[in-house]
Amino acid sequence: MHQVDQTTEQMVRSVLAYAENRLRMDPVPLDKGNQGASDLYKMLNGVIRDRGRAPDEVLGIYSSVIAPSIISADSPRFLGFIPAAPTKASLLFDMLISCASIQGISWLEASGAIAAENTVLRVIADEAGLPESAGGCFVSGGSAGNLSALAVARETAKKRLGEETAGRRLRVVVGTDAHSSIVNTLRLLEMSALVVETPDHRLTAEAVNAALDEDLDLSDVAAIVCTSGTTNGGIIDDLAGVAEIAKERDWWLHVDGAYGGSGIFARSLRDKYNGIEQADSFILDPHKWLFTPFDCCALIYRQPELARSTHTQDASYLDVIHVSEGEWNPTDYAYHLTRRARGLPLWFSLAVYGLDAYRDAIETAARLARETAVLIKATPHLELIREPDLGVVLFRRVGWEPSDYDAWAQALHEEEIAFIPPTKWEGETVGRFAFLHPHTTMELVKEILDRTA
């Protein structure tokens, strides 16, 4: 049996001790991050050299230089962008997955891991109301999920339209608040956007029909994209209404739920997602509102065989992975090949804590948003911009200029009270809470809002 040398044994002990200390932090400190570039590069210059260093020395550089420069997105005080709050179970199992070095592309190499991932995808599909035939895989994030799904939409439309597509650039119907990755995906796929103006920032059947009435030729439309939880405002599109249009016109319906799609698990929010069961493809990011480590996106197709015909890679050295009994190869359902089993930490965490705990955690963020909205409306110098759909709350501080929001946010971060950068809403700088962490408190919210006085 191979013996671990003394250096490796010490490295294992040191790294595991560091990891254990980080996992025991409760709550996780916010940290300041954003250390000056010149200082960072100066401190890191020469760390890598011809001869190796002692592992503890390198770990010391990480803990003293790199770690303090990172803002902790899993802190309950992280209220900007879209936060993260991975469970302890998912973090621990993520370490196990890395240690096992699982190559999760094929049933041949990792049948048990893929079967476990597929049970998680089945849970998500069931919550969305998708049929038993639905399936897919885990990819790195929402951008990868959107790209993979819309590639299938394009190829499916080409087959449906036949010669009509020759030499034509297919189009996809999108709202003005669609995620930036959708626009980038269309560019990469050489497709164009038929942009629907959404004055209320919500894509509705009425708005779509109005845009279609102005377009004389819709024969080049391949798909329509809805968002179930916009990143900036947390708004859910009119999924049911838009789904009816997609069905009538035989267009592919893709639902981008990267941030907010996990809200389907919350009983108080579920009705907002009516219509999602009609999606041809659907994504959500467990590394956001399903409390798993970065990077993880669940990509699900109503008819996965359409994805397989688009994404299966043909190479002689891959022939062997397509002859396994019970075969389900994640590499066949997205643009990737090499892939870690990124769905397993979610599988482990769901099994350990149970679905009810997840439902409660999501409800907590939604409740924080509602209570914060009430507090803002009761504060004379603050204005609520819109009632929250999910966990995002937008507000205005009467009389403030952009520089005032910046100074307010910077002071809160410098004092490690909260990370809550402002955003833009219809061209105006405003304040924005992004609730996700179930341990964020209303006491913290009050402290943050008191600093606007």
Side-chain angles (χ1 to χ4, degrees), residues 134-283:
C137 65
F138 286 95
V139 296
S140 61
S143 298
N146 287 330
L147 175 60
S148 297
L150 289 175
V152 180
R154 182 190 65 182
E155 296 308 300
T156 301
K158 284 181 179 180
K159 293 174 183 176
R160 173 173 58 86
L161 296 172
E163 293 183 0
E164 293 182 42
T165 62
R168 302 180 68 184
R169 191 179 177 102
L170 295 178
R171 291 189 292 170
V172 175
V173 179
V174 300
T176 50
D177 283 56
H179 192 266
S180 56
S181 67
I182 297 293
V183 176
N184 192 49
T185 282
L186 297 183
R187 179 178 60 81
L188 293 173
L189 294 175
E190 296 189 330
M191 302 171 81
S192 298
L194 195 170
V195 180
V196 176
E197 294 297 324
T198 52
D200 191 40
H201 302 271
R202 183 171 184 256
L203 187 67
T204 63
E206 181 182 10
V208 172
N209 281 324
L212 299 183
D213 288 342
E214 297 178 3
D215 202 298
L216 298 178
D217 181 11
L218 298 170
S219 63
D220 59 351
V221 175
I224 188 165
V225 176
C226 283
T227 306
S228 59
T230 57
T231 304
N232 200 32
I235 299 165
I236 301 174
D237 287 341
D238 173 18
L239 304 180
V242 174
E244 285 303 310
I245 296 173
K247 184 177 180 180
E248 290 169 8
R249 297 181 177 272
D250 200 19
W251 293 343
W252 184 280
L253 174 62
H254 175 62
V255 178
D256 176 4
Y259 151 53
S262 301
I264 58 176
F265 285 88
R267 301 304 190 203
S268 70
L269 303 175
R270 184 59 183 83
D271 287 350
K272 296 175 182 287
Y273 297 87
N274 288 343
I276 198 170
E277 69 280 357
Q278 299 184 58
D280 294 292
S281 54
F282 166 53
I283 68 163

Side-chain angles (χ1 to χ4, degrees), residues 409-427:
Q410 184 174 349
L412 287 169
H413 191 197
E414 282 294 323
E415 297 172 41
E416 297 190 52
I417 295 172
F419 177 72
I420 181 168
T423 189
K424 290 286 182 67
W425 185 257
E426 298 180 351

Side-chain angles (χ1 to χ4, degrees), residues 177-412:
D177 283 56
H179 192 266
S180 56
S181 67
I182 297 293
V183 176
N184 192 49
T185 282
L186 297 183
R187 179 178 60 81
L188 293 173
L189 294 175
E190 296 189 330
M191 302 171 81
S192 298
L194 195 170
V195 180
V196 176
E197 294 297 324
T198 52
D200 191 40
H201 302 271
R202 183 171 184 256
L203 187 67
T204 63
E206 181 182 10
V208 172
N209 281 324
L212 299 183
D213 288 342
E214 297 178 3
D215 202 298
L216 298 178
D217 181 11
L218 298 170
S219 63
D220 59 351
V221 175
I224 188 165
V225 176
C226 283
T227 306
S228 59
T230 57
T231 304
N232 200 32
I235 299 165
I236 301 174
D237 287 341
D238 173 18
L239 304 180
V242 174
E244 285 303 310
I245 296 173
K247 184 177 180 180
E248 290 169 8
R249 297 181 177 272
D250 200 19
W251 293 343
W252 184 280
L253 174 62
H254 175 62
V255 178
D256 176 4
Y259 151 53
S262 301
I264 58 176
F265 285 88
R267 301 304 190 203
S268 70
L269 303 175
R270 184 59 183 83
D271 287 350
K272 296 175 182 287
Y273 297 87
N274 288 343
I276 198 170
E277 69 280 357
Q278 299 184 58
D280 294 292
S281 54
F282 166 53
I283 68 163
L284 64 79
D285 285 356
H287 64 229
K288 290 169 182 162
W289 223 359
L290 283 184
F291 313 110
T292 57
F294 299 116
D295 49 5
C296 182
C297 169
L299 165 60
I300 301 176
Y301 302 95
R302 171 178 292 275
Q303 300 180 69
E305 65 273 13
L306 298 176
R308 182 170 177 164
S309 68
T310 297
H311 289 298
T312 297
Q313 298 190 32
D314 183 20
S316 58
Y317 51 83
L318 294 176
D319 288 347
V320 67
I321 74 173
H322 293 293
V323 296
S324 300
E325 183 180 352
E327 170 192 317
W328 186 277
N329 301 323
T331 187
D332 293 338
Y333 301 99
Y335 72 85
H336 56 205
L337 188 61
T338 300
R339 187 196 76 98
R340 68 193 302 264
R342 53 174 47 88
L344 281 185
L346 177 58
W347 168 80
F348 184 74
S349 188
L350 284 171
V352 167
Y353 298 115
L355 283 171
D356 285 346
Y358 272 75
R359 297 187 202 281
D360 290 344
I362 295 169
E363 294 280 12
T364 297
R367 185 178 66 252
L368 278 168
R370 293 192 296 268
E371 292 179 0
T372 299
V374 170
L375 180 58
I376 288 169
K377 288 188 288 186
T379 305
H381 62 273
L382 299 178
E383 293 178 355
L384 182 68
I385 291 174
R386 63 175 294 136
E387 292 291 340
D389 273 7
L390 300 173
V392 174
V393 181
L394 298 166
F395 69 96
R396 177 183 297 109
R397 201 295 186 185
V398 178
W400 269 12
E401 299 293 329
S403 58
D404 296 310
Y405 287 98
D406 290 338
W408 166 75
Q410 184 174 349
L412 287 169

Side-chain angles (χ1 to χ4, degrees), residues 372 375 433 441-451:
T372 299
L375 180 58
F433 285 93
T441 65
M442 278 304 296
E443 286 70 24
L444 174 60
V445 172
K446 291 172 184 176
E447 182 179 6
I448 292 168
L449 292 179
D450 284 347
R451 298 289 289 265

